[in-house]
Amino acid sequence: MSRNERTILAFDQAGNEYFIDMFVSVRDLSDLQHAGATRSGLPSFRTREGHSVTHLGGGEFAVMVPGEEEAITVRTEDPEFV
């Protein structure tokens, strides 16, 4: 099960904006000792349009846009990623 944790606003060199949704898979651990317990996994990223996104580190992401041979590098000023 995945849930949307947050939305990140990022921009490419031309100033185009990209809304990147960060999802975290959540495992239900309620069959263990604590009923209702959950555990978060590693985040995954997608644009609002559904394009694949890779976190490059810091505030940089690579967006795979259909029709483009190479990923587009976008940057965010979001304090969690800078």
Side-chain angles (χ1 to χ4, degrees):
M1 166 195 267
S2 291
R3 67 174 188 220
N4 184 334
E5 285 289 314
R6 68 182 305 143
T7 299
I8 303 156
L9 179 59
F11 296 91
D12 64 14
Q13 288 184 336
N16 299 311
E17 65 183 15
Y18 293 79
F19 289 98
I20 300 173
D21 292 320
M22 181 175 90
F23 298 92
V24 177
S25 62
V26 179
R27 295 180 73 188
D28 182 5
L29 304 176
S30 61
D31 60 334
L32 299 176
Q33 188 174 11
H34 304 287
T38 60
R39 183 177 132 212
S40 296
L42 294 175
S44 62
F45 302 92
R46 288 213 167 285
T47 65
R48 286 280 166 89
E49 294 78 22
H51 305 312
S52 177
V53 177
T54 303
H55 183 221
L56 300 175
E60 289 191 340
F61 295 86
V63 178
M64 292 301 300
V65 178
E68 297 289 330
E69 285 188 30
E70 295 185 23
I72 297 170
T73 300
V74 298
R75 291 175 180 77
T76 184
E77 295 296 322
D78 188 306
E80 185 175 320
F81 294 96
V82 176

